[in-house]
Amino acid sequence: MTVTPQTENSNAVKIPVHTSHLIGLIGCVVLTLAIGLGGASPAWAQLAAPRGVDILITSDQPGARSSLPGAIYATPCDNITFPDCPAGNINVEFGTGVNRVLQAVIAGGSRFEPARELLPSDGLPDEVVFRRNAGAGLPERESLFYEYDGSSPVTGTLNLFPNAAAGIVEAMRSTIINRGIDDVFNNTNKVVPPATNGDETSNNIQRVDYIVRGSGIQVPPAQQDDVGFLILERGGNDDFGIAAITAIDGFGTPTAYGPLVRIDRGLWGSSTDVRISTGVLRRDSLAQANPGAAFLVPSPQFIQGIFFPISSLLSTPQNAAPIFGYSLFAADVDDTFNLTQPNTFPTTTTSDNGSGGLDLIAGGFGLVRRATLTPTGSLSLVKRITNLFGPADLPNFNQFVGDGEALTLLRNNNLGQGLDVITDPAVQAGDGIEYTVYLANSSTGTAANAVVCDQIPVGLTFDPNGFGPGIGIQAIAASSPPGPLITFTNADDGDAGRFIAPGAALPSFCGTNQGNGAVVVNAGDVAANQVGLIRFRTTVN
């Protein structure tokens, strides 16, 4: 069976593949394929609302090593995670792993990429300004978190994966997403019992401004659903507010806003592509020369996001009137406040109820544009049963079934073997069935950023150890000629594949959730004439 994406007015192509296998079991493969860049399409429906992010598309770049030796612990600190605090010191090493660099996101079935033609520096704002209330008597702090290896307790040295950032402003104006700001709007001291164990993160940030200077961003009304702002958070579990900046003064200070949009934590998307353990560093005074020392390690969390089309932040279409960026607010700031006067905002905002707990991921693009589909590449999927475990007198799995350009390309590369349907031998409970999804690009262009989702048929159970302990996915990366077999772990741990357990939420592009789990693999770019495969094993219930 061969399925080829169609080049209609959508950049995320959803292709269901239904193949009947053994005793009526159904397999379903869905491919999301994003290809090329282009302008707005009049065929798109108006969004008119923020959209949760379904997929994060990232690349890993080596970290740049730097050290903060003998740092004094910030206090109060978590003396369970850091047994030496608060009396001791810790060495902090940056750049010991990779920088996870954001390339694009998929939200609402569409791919969004940095709007470099509108903001040349990767869609990032000209300035990020953290507004504080100097008269409130609150701590003037910065709390930055970084991804680390998740080991606990931490003694001696804390190895942080991404590059060091000089401060929260530098961190936010980058595309590195495995670092960010802890409890952005928390203004109230919070110590977790016992009394010697704490995560006191109050910092007196009242408003965060993402500012675009000059003539601002001018987007015609017809494109205001396709261009907008991207916000990312560690955990996706906090409320906040956002408003478009509609005017600034000569110093770049916002003087007027569009309507305040208050976001409930339930709107954060379902992306599970990046899950990070983080260590938090706290600079207790903005005058300090270094970023302070570790005092807290939150539990691992997924990075999740929301795309805000410009149309969702304006009460009426603006006839390309300029937008000068946007501002973020704590959830306890409502329409009764003058948004241009952060000194009037509450100074008792706490992270305990979600009002001030926004854990803002650095590197979320300031401005993104929907990518459009152009017919540059065509990717086909061929799904086959390639082995049985348990029955005797097995059929010949080395035969090729079907025809067409995709199967011809696979056969020329000695791939594509397997059967569509097997009626003899009959399988019994406990027998194993191996499925292989072959990829073939028989066109002349590249199919970019292919992501395959294959839900496990009802009546079967995914074999989590099919290719080794904790390794349930085998693959050949897109190549020509075919490369070696490789394996992926079932966990969402940074490799290209993962298994999403039964009952868990699936990315929206997987289609209707059958409730039996799914194999999801980011196949990346598949160039012309390249082939590959994704393979997993199941057990009959």
Side-chain angles (χ1 to χ4, degrees):
M1 177 177 294
T2 301
V3 180
T4 304
Q6 302 298 308
T7 55
E8 298 178 356
N9 287 322
S10 170
N11 72 298
V13 185
K14 302 175 182 177
I15 306 121
V17 181
H18 298 284
T19 306
S20 181
H21 300 302
L22 287 179
I23 58 172
L25 299 179
I26 301 297
C28 180
V29 184
V30 176
L31 168 70
T32 290
L33 178 62
I35 311 173
L37 278 170
S41 168
W44 284 322
Q46 297 293 297
L47 293 178
R51 295 291 182 93
V53 170
D54 300 314
I55 298 175
L56 298 172
I57 299 171
T58 62
S59 62
D60 289 345
Q61 299 178 1
R65 294 294 295 260
S66 61
S67 301
L68 180 64
I72 300 173
Y73 283 102
T75 58
C77 59
D78 182 344
N79 61 3
I80 295 174
T81 303
F82 298 105
D84 296 330
C85 76
N89 298 68
I90 189 169
N91 300 315
V92 183
E93 294 287 331
F94 300 94
T96 63
V98 298
N99 298 312
R100 300 199 188 196
V101 178
L102 186 64
Q103 304 292 334
V105 300
I106 304 247
S110 293
R111 176 184 170 96
F112 292 89
E113 299 177 340
R116 295 184 178 93
E117 75 282 12
L118 297 174
L119 284 177
S121 181
D122 284 321
L124 299 172
D126 296 320
E127 296 179 69
V128 179
V129 181
F130 292 83
R131 311 288 180 180
R132 302 174 187 264
N133 184 344
L138 296 171
E140 302 286 306
R141 286 176 171 153
E142 294 188 349
S143 295
L144 264 174
F145 60 77
Y146 295 82
E147 183 181 11
Y148 86 117
D149 64 10
S151 60
S152 184
V154 180
T155 60
T157 299
L158 176 61
N159 292 308
L160 303 174
F161 291 171
N163 295 355
I168 55 179
V169 170
E170 179 182 302
M172 295 311 299
R173 291 198 69 254
S174 81
T175 56
I176 300 171
I177 67 168
N178 51 340
R179 60 190 187 185
I181 310 171
D182 206 56
D183 283 355
V184 172
F185 296 113
N186 178 35
N187 293 324
T188 304
N189 290 355
K190 182 181 72 170
V191 176
V192 177
T196 56
N197 176 33
D199 63 349
E200 205 278 278
T201 57
S202 60
N203 55 32
N204 190 25
I205 295 173
Q206 304 294 337
R207 194 182 75 199
V208 185
D209 299 338
Y210 293 71
I211 298 169
V212 179
R213 285 185 171 269
S215 57
I217 304 161
Q218 295 182 281
V219 180
Q223 298 181 24
Q224 288 178 5
D225 289 343
D226 307 321
V227 178
F229 305 114
L230 176 67
I231 312 297
L232 301 178
E233 198 212 19
R234 183 193 66 194
N237 53 9
D238 289 296
D239 312 325
F240 69 101
I242 182 173
I245 302 170
T246 56
I248 58 175
D249 62 19
F251 300 99
T253 304
T255 58
Y257 283 98
L260 176 65
V261 178
R262 301 181 68 190
I263 298 300
D264 182 86
R265 68 196 68 180
L267 188 59
W268 293 104
S270 59
S271 60
T272 56
D273 305 281
V274 180
R275 186 171 187 252
I276 57 175
S277 298
T278 54
V280 184
L281 308 186
R282 192 179 72 204
R283 176 185 282 134
D284 284 333
S285 166
L286 299 182
Q288 285 179 303
N290 63 54
F295 72 104
L296 172 67
V297 171
S299 58
Q301 292 174 296
F302 293 114
I303 294 177
Q304 298 183 322
I306 303 173
F307 164 66
F308 292 88
I310 287 179
S311 57
S312 73
L313 299 176
L314 300 174
S315 55
T316 57
Q318 297 297 299
N319 296 319
I323 302 296
F324 297 91
Y326 63 92
S327 293
L328 299 180
F329 307 84
D332 57 5
V333 174
D334 57 28
D335 293 328
T336 64
F337 291 91
N338 182 342
L339 301 185
T340 67
Q341 301 296 320
N343 284 356
T344 66
F345 296 170
T347 58
T348 56
T349 307
T350 176
S351 63
D352 288 334
N353 60 10
S355 294
L358 185 69
D359 297 319
L360 195 60
I361 287 289
F365 296 124
L367 190 71
V368 293
R369 176 189 288 279
R370 189 198 305 252
T372 62
L373 181 69
T374 56
T376 58
S378 181
L379 183 61
S380 297
L381 302 179
V382 177
K383 184 173 181 179
R384 296 289 184 259
I385 301 170
T386 51
N387 211 344
L388 297 180
F389 305 94
D393 301 322
L394 296 180
N396 178 14
F397 290 109
N398 289 319
Q399 58 186 299
F400 296 89
V401 177
D403 54 23
E405 290 183 359
L407 194 58
T408 298
L409 177 59
L410 288 167
R411 292 184 66 169
N412 290 341
N413 286 276
N414 197 32
L415 293 181
Q417 302 93 330
L419 301 175
D420 271 342
V421 178
I422 301 172
T423 57
D424 184 25
V427 298
Q428 306 295 325
D431 289 348
I433 305 174
E434 179 182 270
Y435 290 98
T436 300
V437 179
Y438 297 100
L439 293 78
N441 184 357
S442 55
S443 73
T444 59
T446 296
N449 297 302
V451 183
V452 176
C453 176
D454 193 359
Q455 295 196 46
I456 306 302
V458 175
L460 301 179
T461 298
F462 174 76
D463 182 353
N465 306 308
F467 305 99
I471 300 174
I473 305 169
Q474 193 177 66
I476 292 178
S479 52
S480 179
L485 284 166
I486 58 177
T487 55
F488 302 135
T489 63
N490 310 318
D492 185 16
D493 54 4
D495 65 25
R498 70 185 190 272
F499 175 67
I500 301 176
L506 298 180
S508 61
F509 72 86
C510 287
T512 301
N513 192 337
Q514 299 174 17
N516 203 36
V519 171
V520 177
V521 176
N522 185 346
D525 295 348
V526 184
N529 295 315
Q530 286 190 337
V531 294
L533 65 82
I534 297 163
R535 178 174 290 153
F536 61 91
R537 294 171 176 172
T538 64
T539 302
V540 178
N541 294 344

